[in-house]
Amino acid sequence: MDFKFGEKEEKLRKEIREFTKKELPPGWLSSMLEEESDDKEWAFAMSMSKKLAEKGWLTMSWPEEYGGKGASLWEQLVYSEEASYWGIPGVTMGIGGVDWVGPSLMMFGTAEQKNKYLPLIASGEPDGIWCTAYSEPNAGSDFAKIRTRAVREGDEYVINGQKIWTSAAHRARWCWLAVKTDPDAAKPHNGISVFVVDMKSKGITVRPLMNYVGLHIFNEVFFDDLRVPAANLVGKENNGWYQLMHSLGYERGSIAGRCYGYNKRILDELIVYTRGNGLFREREIRHKLADIAVELETQKVLGYETVWKMSKGDSPVYEPSRDKVFNDHILERLAMLGTEILGGYSQIDPLSRNCKWTKLNGHMEKLFWLFLGFAFAAGTDEVELNIVGQFGLKLPKSY
Amino acid sequence: MDFDFSEDQVMIIDSARKFLEKECPKNKIRELKEDEKGYDPELWSRMAEMGWMGLILPEEYEGTGMDFFDLTILMEEMGRNILPAPFFDTVALCSLPILEYGTSEQKKRFLPKIACGEEIWTLALTEPSASYEPSGVELRATSLQEDYVLEGTKLFVPYANVADRLLVVARTSQEGITALIVDAGSQGIKTEVIPTTAHDKQCEVVFDKVRVPKDNVLGEVGKGWEIVEFLLQRVSVLKCAEMLGGAQFVLEMANSYAKERVQFDKPIGSFQAIQHKLAEVFINVEGLRRLVYEAAWNISTGSPSRLLTSMVKAKANEVYQQTCIQGVKVHGAIGFTEELDLSLYFLRTKASEFMLGDTGFHRERIAVELEDYQPLFMSV
């Protein structure tokens, strides 16, 4: 048993802290996964992606030949923790660029695909930005039932259909697209394929979907006779489900640290804020802060456990779902406590950052209005609990 | 960072589990509920032969010199099986403070007897105020020549009915609290078992002009609260490990039942209402496990954290209780009966929660730590 990080990780931690001090504006508080909504913030995020790429951190887990550093899982964890604590924007290269597109291409892509797309992601340039299109109006949690269809015609596939909740589609250069290639497969999972799609292609329409606070994060994406070269198929035809499940493991390692770092920062901000205005002296408030502090410490060590299992070569099955559910609970509590602490000020529109009455950069309001969206993204709580029950507790499949 | 157990630790876990399953089955636990002593002396000596009482005492005191983490995982097994015996009281609450604060004379005199299983000890700290604050200590120790004279009442003293010695926390002056080692057979001590729901032999101990030689002061006069803090900041992790073991077992019981029990032609565990309940419990038990290990490891390696220990106790209190409540719900009406083993665990949760601080107590201690702490974003 050993709960200590190694020298390498501690050194990296220090370097990242120095980096944030130099590169982020004073008093910077991250804008939390909404960078794609605002042109100015997007530009800042892209400038940071570039700097992270120059440091070799952006894709540190990747092998050197693809622009990475071959960093260990523990180094990645430290990087994720620190980056999200300090709110460094631009770490993901859109939705999935760093976390699953790159790793999937390394596992299943052709040499040509690897040589073309991986350096683009690793460069931190706008041409390395991805969106990920899985969900459809009739296939959310039940993802295998997607209907967007790709039909082979000579050296091309012709794609027709619609995706929804596609975050960052309006910023992305490429789309990581899941489609049906065999609608008659005995099991719907066996008829899915993954394609790389150039977002500049003819036949793609991106329609903004505003969320209820007015942020433009996700979109509907329509495909009308979109023609994609057959060379853009990733891996084997009809093998997409397996490939996606496999690549999820990569994403999971970084998520634990990212969630913990972000939550820890929010808690720290709330502690400082309530100490400043005297609310901390109220037993009810300080006890709620104490309770959340316990949950965060628990989240931290659970995330470490997931990474530890991965570092031993195990492929975690239920742990990422467990960590996701746990994080959703924490976000909800933080959002509720954060706005309770702000009281009347929590009514201020989080988008009016220049309002003189805005507290904590509008961060608590933003968290409150966005936490439900995070709870749906990448699997609802209910779906994640199904996975925990089925694979963690070996209970019968419940859905 | 490495969460693997060492080979020695795996051995501790395996041998403890086998031993307890064989020597302390559930019917024995039920019998001991009605037993006057509340523990089995024969089992106690066998535990001593296993080296458990002296597990982390140095060899010079007849111990085996293992570390705090090793004791933590042993406690987890005891919680998993339930061990109705004054082990935590003797070893955790008394031998560890003696090891930490005792004079070499006291250590030589008392520790080997504990290690060999010859003596049972317990901590007499809480009083009718049922508080773990210093203000709760009202029992007076008045200096009289070579002795102190104790006058007052201690409440919820585990296993005082069978203890050979008591570690008594007393008030020696207006501000001063002192820990004293007291022979349980001293004149003027009256012990009565309190009828707790778990029948776990917690006692009221009345001290009526009990004389204790001044040589029996543990640590310094007037600084006895440091010893209580030692218990609150470190030893409580061992209680949490015991609670973790219990919670794990209750979860396993409920999970097996959900797979076996068929209603509407399906195992009830295939219904999300049941499955999600269990999944939430599972997540919390796994979280508690890592927290307990983190705190125990920190203590083992010489960097205990007041904040972390309070976090662990607060979490353990909540998780153990919730696990039992959800466990009963999954079982339905059978969960409500005496015959189901789950009841043995559930009925013990109140004692565990209270021992070394309930949730509100530790929440406040966490808050006190947070009040002074320097957040990272302000320090860089």
Side-chain angles (χ1 to χ4, degrees), chain B residues 201-224:
Chain B
K201 308 300 178 248
Q202 297 191 55
C203 304
E204 174 190 348
V205 185
V206 178
F207 295 78
D208 180 18
K209 301 193 192 70
V210 177
R211 291 178 85 107
V212 183
K214 283 185 175 164
D215 284 351
N216 280 16
V217 168
L218 183 65
E220 284 180 52
V221 173
K223 291 195 173 161

PDB file of all heavy atoms in Angstrom, chain B residues 201-224:
ATOM      1  N   LYS B 201     -22.673  -5.142  26.047  1.00  0.00           N
ATOM      2  CA  LYS B 201     -21.961  -4.992  27.328  1.00  0.00           C
ATOM      3  C   LYS B 201     -21.265  -3.639  27.483  1.00  0.00           C
ATOM      4  O   LYS B 201     -20.056  -3.554  27.714  1.00  0.00           O
ATOM      5  CB  LYS B 201     -20.927  -6.113  27.527  1.00  0.00           C
ATOM      6  CG  LYS B 201     -21.480  -7.511  27.352  1.00  0.00           C
ATOM      7  CD  LYS B 201     -22.602  -7.842  28.327  1.00  0.00           C
ATOM      8  CE  LYS B 201     -23.150  -9.231  28.067  1.00  0.00           C
ATOM      9  NZ  LYS B 201     -24.530  -9.255  27.546  1.00  0.00           N
ATOM     10  N   GLN B 202     -22.040  -2.619  27.310  1.00  0.00           N
ATOM     11  CA  GLN B 202     -21.539  -1.294  27.672  1.00  0.00           C
ATOM     12  C   GLN B 202     -22.042  -1.019  29.086  1.00  0.00           C
ATOM     13  O   GLN B 202     -23.147  -1.411  29.438  1.00  0.00           O
ATOM     14  CB  GLN B 202     -22.048  -0.239  26.714  1.00  0.00           C
ATOM     15  CG  GLN B 202     -21.550  -0.468  25.297  1.00  0.00           C
ATOM     16  CD  GLN B 202     -21.839   0.735  24.415  1.00  0.00           C
ATOM     17  OE1 GLN B 202     -21.450   1.852  24.736  1.00  0.00           O
ATOM     18  NE2 GLN B 202     -22.525   0.499  23.322  1.00  0.00           N
ATOM     19  N   CYS B 203     -21.205  -0.338  29.855  1.00  0.00           N
ATOM     20  CA  CYS B 203     -21.502  -0.256  31.280  1.00  0.00           C
ATOM     21  C   CYS B 203     -21.548   1.165  31.800  1.00  0.00           C
ATOM     22  O   CYS B 203     -20.956   2.080  31.238  1.00  0.00           O
ATOM     23  CB  CYS B 203     -20.421  -1.007  32.078  1.00  0.00           C
ATOM     24  SG  CYS B 203     -20.254  -2.715  31.558  1.00  0.00           S
ATOM     25  N   GLU B 204     -22.270   1.257  32.917  1.00  0.00           N
ATOM     26  CA  GLU B 204     -22.158   2.433  33.763  1.00  0.00           C
ATOM     27  C   GLU B 204     -21.152   2.067  34.848  1.00  0.00           C
ATOM     28  O   GLU B 204     -21.268   1.013  35.464  1.00  0.00           O
ATOM     29  CB  GLU B 204     -23.529   2.739  34.382  1.00  0.00           C
ATOM     30  CG  GLU B 204     -23.486   3.863  35.389  1.00  0.00           C
ATOM     31  CD  GLU B 204     -24.803   3.998  36.172  1.00  0.00           C
ATOM     32  OE1 GLU B 204     -25.813   3.378  35.783  1.00  0.00           O
ATOM     33  OE2 GLU B 204     -24.802   4.715  37.179  1.00  0.00           O
ATOM     34  N   VAL B 205     -20.163   2.924  35.043  1.00  0.00           N
ATOM     35  CA  VAL B 205     -19.172   2.638  36.082  1.00  0.00           C
ATOM     36  C   VAL B 205     -19.168   3.809  37.063  1.00  0.00           C
ATOM     37  O   VAL B 205     -18.865   4.940  36.679  1.00  0.00           O
ATOM     38  CB  VAL B 205     -17.769   2.436  35.487  1.00  0.00           C
ATOM     39  CG1 VAL B 205     -16.779   2.026  36.574  1.00  0.00           C
ATOM     40  CG2 VAL B 205     -17.799   1.396  34.379  1.00  0.00           C
ATOM     41  N   VAL B 206     -19.533   3.508  38.308  1.00  0.00           N
ATOM     42  CA  VAL B 206     -19.577   4.558  39.322  1.00  0.00           C
ATOM     43  C   VAL B 206     -18.316   4.474  40.182  1.00  0.00           C
ATOM     44  O   VAL B 206     -17.938   3.390  40.643  1.00  0.00           O
ATOM     45  CB  VAL B 206     -20.838   4.415  40.201  1.00  0.00           C
ATOM     46  CG1 VAL B 206     -20.855   5.482  41.289  1.00  0.00           C
ATOM     47  CG2 VAL B 206     -22.090   4.512  39.330  1.00  0.00           C
ATOM     48  N   PHE B 207     -17.647   5.593  40.326  1.00  0.00           N
ATOM     49  CA  PHE B 207     -16.433   5.670  41.146  1.00  0.00           C
ATOM     50  C   PHE B 207     -16.781   6.392  42.446  1.00  0.00           C
ATOM     51  O   PHE B 207     -17.113   7.572  42.432  1.00  0.00           O
ATOM     52  CB  PHE B 207     -15.336   6.452  40.414  1.00  0.00           C
ATOM     53  CG  PHE B 207     -14.856   5.772  39.161  1.00  0.00           C
ATOM     54  CD1 PHE B 207     -15.602   5.833  37.988  1.00  0.00           C
ATOM     55  CD2 PHE B 207     -13.660   5.057  39.151  1.00  0.00           C
ATOM     56  CE1 PHE B 207     -15.164   5.197  36.831  1.00  0.00           C
ATOM     57  CE2 PHE B 207     -13.215   4.417  38.005  1.00  0.00           C
ATOM     58  CZ  PHE B 207     -13.974   4.496  36.844  1.00  0.00           C
ATOM     59  N   ASP B 208     -16.718   5.644  43.541  1.00  0.00           N
ATOM     60  CA  ASP B 208     -17.043   6.230  44.828  1.00  0.00           C
ATOM     61  C   ASP B 208     -15.781   6.233  45.682  1.00  0.00           C
ATOM     62  O   ASP B 208     -15.407   5.218  46.267  1.00  0.00           O
ATOM     63  CB  ASP B 208     -18.172   5.404  45.471  1.00  0.00           C
ATOM     64  CG  ASP B 208     -18.571   5.958  46.830  1.00  0.00           C
ATOM     65  OD1 ASP B 208     -18.245   7.137  47.122  1.00  0.00           O
ATOM     66  OD2 ASP B 208     -19.199   5.207  47.595  1.00  0.00           O
ATOM     67  N   LYS B 209     -15.099   7.360  45.692  1.00  0.00           N
ATOM     68  CA  LYS B 209     -13.841   7.526  46.444  1.00  0.00           C
ATOM     69  C   LYS B 209     -12.854   6.399  46.114  1.00  0.00           C
ATOM     70  O   LYS B 209     -12.355   5.702  46.991  1.00  0.00           O
ATOM     71  CB  LYS B 209     -14.112   7.570  47.951  1.00  0.00           C
ATOM     72  CG  LYS B 209     -15.039   8.709  48.345  1.00  0.00           C
ATOM     73  CD  LYS B 209     -15.035   8.907  49.857  1.00  0.00           C
ATOM     74  CE  LYS B 209     -16.163   9.829  50.297  1.00  0.00           C
ATOM     75  NZ  LYS B 209     -17.517   9.210  50.142  1.00  0.00           N
ATOM     76  N   VAL B 210     -12.579   6.226  44.864  1.00  0.00           N
ATOM     77  CA  VAL B 210     -11.654   5.170  44.435  1.00  0.00           C
ATOM     78  C   VAL B 210     -10.233   5.718  44.471  1.00  0.00           C
ATOM     79  O   VAL B 210      -9.932   6.759  43.884  1.00  0.00           O
ATOM     80  CB  VAL B 210     -11.997   4.706  42.999  1.00  0.00           C
ATOM     81  CG1 VAL B 210     -10.988   3.663  42.527  1.00  0.00           C
ATOM     82  CG2 VAL B 210     -13.413   4.151  42.947  1.00  0.00           C
ATOM     83  N   ARG B 211      -9.348   5.024  45.163  1.00  0.00           N
ATOM     84  CA  ARG B 211      -7.967   5.502  45.284  1.00  0.00           C
ATOM     85  C   ARG B 211      -7.089   4.895  44.191  1.00  0.00           C
ATOM     86  O   ARG B 211      -7.111   3.681  43.976  1.00  0.00           O
ATOM     87  CB  ARG B 211      -7.428   5.141  46.666  1.00  0.00           C
ATOM     88  CG  ARG B 211      -8.094   5.936  47.775  1.00  0.00           C
ATOM     89  CD  ARG B 211      -7.557   5.512  49.124  1.00  0.00           C
ATOM     90  NE  ARG B 211      -6.320   6.225  49.454  1.00  0.00           N
ATOM     91  CZ  ARG B 211      -6.262   7.190  50.381  1.00  0.00           C
ATOM     92  NH1 ARG B 211      -7.341   7.563  51.037  1.00  0.00           N
ATOM     93  NH2 ARG B 211      -5.118   7.793  50.636  1.00  0.00           N
ATOM     94  N   VAL B 212      -6.349   5.775  43.540  1.00  0.00           N
ATOM     95  CA  VAL B 212      -5.448   5.326  42.474  1.00  0.00           C
ATOM     96  C   VAL B 212      -4.066   5.897  42.743  1.00  0.00           C
ATOM     97  O   VAL B 212      -3.925   7.112  42.936  1.00  0.00           O
ATOM     98  CB  VAL B 212      -5.926   5.843  41.089  1.00  0.00           C
ATOM     99  CG1 VAL B 212      -5.039   5.310  39.991  1.00  0.00           C
ATOM    100  CG2 VAL B 212      -7.375   5.486  40.852  1.00  0.00           C
ATOM    101  N   PRO B 213      -3.035   5.047  42.769  1.00  0.00           N
ATOM    102  CA  PRO B 213      -1.684   5.570  43.032  1.00  0.00           C
ATOM    103  C   PRO B 213      -1.262   6.547  41.927  1.00  0.00           C
ATOM    104  O   PRO B 213      -1.591   6.341  40.762  1.00  0.00           O
ATOM    105  CB  PRO B 213      -0.792   4.325  43.000  1.00  0.00           C
ATOM    106  CG  PRO B 213      -1.674   3.163  42.788  1.00  0.00           C
ATOM    107  CD  PRO B 213      -3.073   3.596  42.601  1.00  0.00           C
ATOM    108  N   LYS B 214      -0.539   7.587  42.311  1.00  0.00           N
ATOM    109  CA  LYS B 214      -0.127   8.589  41.333  1.00  0.00           C
ATOM    110  C   LYS B 214       0.799   8.018  40.264  1.00  0.00           C
ATOM    111  O   LYS B 214       0.901   8.571  39.166  1.00  0.00           O
ATOM    112  CB  LYS B 214       0.523   9.773  42.051  1.00  0.00           C
ATOM    113  CG  LYS B 214      -0.541  10.648  42.701  1.00  0.00           C
ATOM    114  CD  LYS B 214       0.022  11.896  43.332  1.00  0.00           C
ATOM    115  CE  LYS B 214      -1.135  12.749  43.845  1.00  0.00           C
ATOM    116  NZ  LYS B 214      -0.701  13.788  44.790  1.00  0.00           N
ATOM    117  N   ASP B 215       1.470   6.916  40.572  1.00  0.00           N
ATOM    118  CA  ASP B 215       2.306   6.257  39.562  1.00  0.00           C
ATOM    119  C   ASP B 215       1.487   5.820  38.362  1.00  0.00           C
ATOM    120  O   ASP B 215       2.032   5.517  37.297  1.00  0.00           O
ATOM    121  CB  ASP B 215       2.947   4.984  40.156  1.00  0.00           C
ATOM    122  CG  ASP B 215       4.086   5.335  41.081  1.00  0.00           C
ATOM    123  OD1 ASP B 215       4.466   6.523  41.100  1.00  0.00           O
ATOM    124  OD2 ASP B 215       4.572   4.426  41.782  1.00  0.00           O
ATOM    125  N   ASN B 216       0.194   5.729  38.553  1.00  0.00           N
ATOM    126  CA  ASN B 216      -0.651   5.215  37.481  1.00  0.00           C
ATOM    127  C   ASN B 216      -1.160   6.285  36.518  1.00  0.00           C
ATOM    128  O   ASN B 216      -1.998   6.001  35.678  1.00  0.00           O
ATOM    129  CB  ASN B 216      -1.846   4.465  38.071  1.00  0.00           C
ATOM    130  CG  ASN B 216      -1.448   3.058  38.497  1.00  0.00           C
ATOM    131  OD1 ASN B 216      -0.252   2.769  38.616  1.00  0.00           O
ATOM    132  ND2 ASN B 216      -2.421   2.218  38.731  1.00  0.00           N
ATOM    133  N   VAL B 217      -0.633   7.491  36.669  1.00  0.00           N
ATOM    134  CA  VAL B 217      -0.991   8.514  35.686  1.00  0.00           C
ATOM    135  C   VAL B 217      -0.358   8.128  34.349  1.00  0.00           C
ATOM    136  O   VAL B 217       0.820   7.784  34.291  1.00  0.00           O
ATOM    137  CB  VAL B 217      -0.479   9.903  36.136  1.00  0.00           C
ATOM    138  CG1 VAL B 217      -0.583  10.910  34.997  1.00  0.00           C
ATOM    139  CG2 VAL B 217      -1.262  10.383  37.348  1.00  0.00           C
ATOM    140  N   LEU B 218      -1.154   8.158  33.288  1.00  0.00           N
ATOM    141  CA  LEU B 218      -0.605   7.909  31.955  1.00  0.00           C
ATOM    142  C   LEU B 218      -0.352   9.261  31.295  1.00  0.00           C
ATOM    143  O   LEU B 218      -1.249  10.098  31.206  1.00  0.00           O
ATOM    144  CB  LEU B 218      -1.579   7.077  31.111  1.00  0.00           C
ATOM    145  CG  LEU B 218      -1.067   6.693  29.710  1.00  0.00           C
ATOM    146  CD1 LEU B 218       0.144   5.773  29.792  1.00  0.00           C
ATOM    147  CD2 LEU B 218      -2.172   6.038  28.881  1.00  0.00           C
ATOM    148  N   GLY B 219       0.870   9.447  30.825  1.00  0.00           N
ATOM    149  CA  GLY B 219       1.231  10.754  30.266  1.00  0.00           C
ATOM    150  C   GLY B 219       1.418  11.753  31.403  1.00  0.00           C
ATOM    151  O   GLY B 219       1.732  11.368  32.529  1.00  0.00           O
ATOM    152  N   GLU B 220       1.168  13.018  31.076  1.00  0.00           N
ATOM    153  CA  GLU B 220       1.400  14.046  32.098  1.00  0.00           C
ATOM    154  C   GLU B 220       0.111  14.435  32.801  1.00  0.00           C
ATOM    155  O   GLU B 220      -0.956  14.427  32.188  1.00  0.00           O
ATOM    156  CB  GLU B 220       1.991  15.290  31.441  1.00  0.00           C
ATOM    157  CG  GLU B 220       3.450  15.147  31.081  1.00  0.00           C
ATOM    158  CD  GLU B 220       3.975  16.418  30.432  1.00  0.00           C
ATOM    159  OE1 GLU B 220       3.788  17.504  31.032  1.00  0.00           O
ATOM    160  OE2 GLU B 220       4.521  16.319  29.321  1.00  0.00           O
ATOM    161  N   VAL B 221       0.272  14.805  34.046  1.00  0.00           N
ATOM    162  CA  VAL B 221      -0.873  15.315  34.788  1.00  0.00           C
ATOM    163  C   VAL B 221      -1.375  16.583  34.092  1.00  0.00           C
ATOM    164  O   VAL B 221      -0.591  17.457  33.714  1.00  0.00           O
ATOM    165  CB  VAL B 221      -0.474  15.643  36.252  1.00  0.00           C
ATOM    166  CG1 VAL B 221      -1.645  16.333  36.977  1.00  0.00           C
ATOM    167  CG2 VAL B 221      -0.071  14.369  36.978  1.00  0.00           C
ATOM    168  N   GLY B 222      -2.660  16.651  33.912  1.00  0.00           N
ATOM    169  CA  GLY B 222      -3.248  17.845  33.302  1.00  0.00           C
ATOM    170  C   GLY B 222      -3.233  17.817  31.787  1.00  0.00           C
ATOM    171  O   GLY B 222      -3.791  18.689  31.129  1.00  0.00           O
ATOM    172  N   LYS B 223      -2.554  16.810  31.213  1.00  0.00           N
ATOM    173  CA  LYS B 223      -2.493  16.759  29.742  1.00  0.00           C
ATOM    174  C   LYS B 223      -3.144  15.497  29.184  1.00  0.00           C
ATOM    175  O   LYS B 223      -2.773  14.996  28.115  1.00  0.00           O
ATOM    176  CB  LYS B 223      -1.039  16.861  29.288  1.00  0.00           C
ATOM    177  CG  LYS B 223      -0.468  18.246  29.567  1.00  0.00           C
ATOM    178  CD  LYS B 223       0.813  18.471  28.817  1.00  0.00           C
ATOM    179  CE  LYS B 223       1.240  19.933  28.986  1.00  0.00           C
ATOM    180  NZ  LYS B 223       2.660  20.113  28.673  1.00  0.00           N
ATOM    181  N   GLY B 224      -4.097  15.011  29.931  1.00  0.00           N
ATOM    182  CA  GLY B 224      -4.766  13.768  29.513  1.00  0.00           C
ATOM    183  C   GLY B 224      -5.559  13.914  28.227  1.00  0.00           C
ATOM    184  O   GLY B 224      -5.794  12.939  27.509  1.00  0.00           O
TER     185      GLY B 224
END
